[in-house]
Amino acid sequence: MSKDNFVTSIKESEIKEGQMKAVRVKGRPILLVRQGEQLFGVSNICPHMGCSLEHGILRDYLVMCPCHGWKFDIRNGQYQEIKEIALTSYRCKIQDGKVHIEIPHEE
Ligand code: FES
């Protein structure tokens, strides 16, 4: 039986539908995105040249990096032009009014 690795983050009320919010959990910069009832977490560092994605543009399930326009699907982190490039994705859940983010065990 494996113990889950969810770490408590911000209050649910701090992120509204259609919004993005940058958080840092266990030293990892994570971009939370809320769309409808769902909450997604991806790395907040663009793999192109390292810009933060929280100031990018969110449209449906795509976030566009503010620096040079790379677009990523927040559901799986994939860069839309080259599917092999992807942001790390983090499972998220809302429980007891808080956002919880799954952080894998350190290697
Ligand atoms: S740093 Fe994100 S597109 Fe260049």
Side-chain angles (χ1 to χ4, degrees):
M1 200 160 57
S2 67
K3 183 176 169 315
D4 79 30
N5 298 308
F6 282 92
V7 176
T8 304
S9 182
I10 59 173
K11 289 184 203 158
E12 177 194 1
S13 58
E14 292 180 69
I15 181 165
K16 308 265 185 271
E17 185 173 333
Q19 283 188 341
M20 303 192 283
K21 181 132 191 131
V23 298
R24 188 171 278 271
V25 177
K26 292 206 163 184
R28 297 173 187 233
I30 295 174
L31 182 70
L32 294 173
V33 186
R34 191 165 189 173
Q35 283 295 29
E37 293 299 301
Q38 292 179 287
L39 192 61
F40 302 93
V42 291
S43 166
N44 192 23
I45 299 175
C46 181
H48 178 219
M49 292 182 73
C51 285
S52 297
L53 295 169
E54 82 252 31
H55 299 301
I57 295 169
L58 177 68
R59 181 176 288 172
D60 297 325
Y61 293 102
L62 291 181
V63 60
M64 184 169 79
C65 179
C67 290
H68 315 98
W70 283 27
K71 290 183 190 149
F72 301 91
D73 189 324
I74 54 158
R75 294 170 292 191
N76 55 20
Q78 277 184 338
Y79 172 44
Q80 293 304 284
E81 302 299 320
I82 305 170
K83 307 287 184 193
E84 289 73 25
I85 297 176
L87 305 168
T88 301
S89 294
Y90 296 93
R91 285 204 303 152
C92 299
K93 66 181 181 183
I94 294 170
Q95 200 174 309
D96 301 329
K98 299 262 178 70
V99 173
H100 303 264
I101 304 171
E102 189 178 38
I103 305 295
H105 280 304
E106 301 299 332
E107 291 79 7

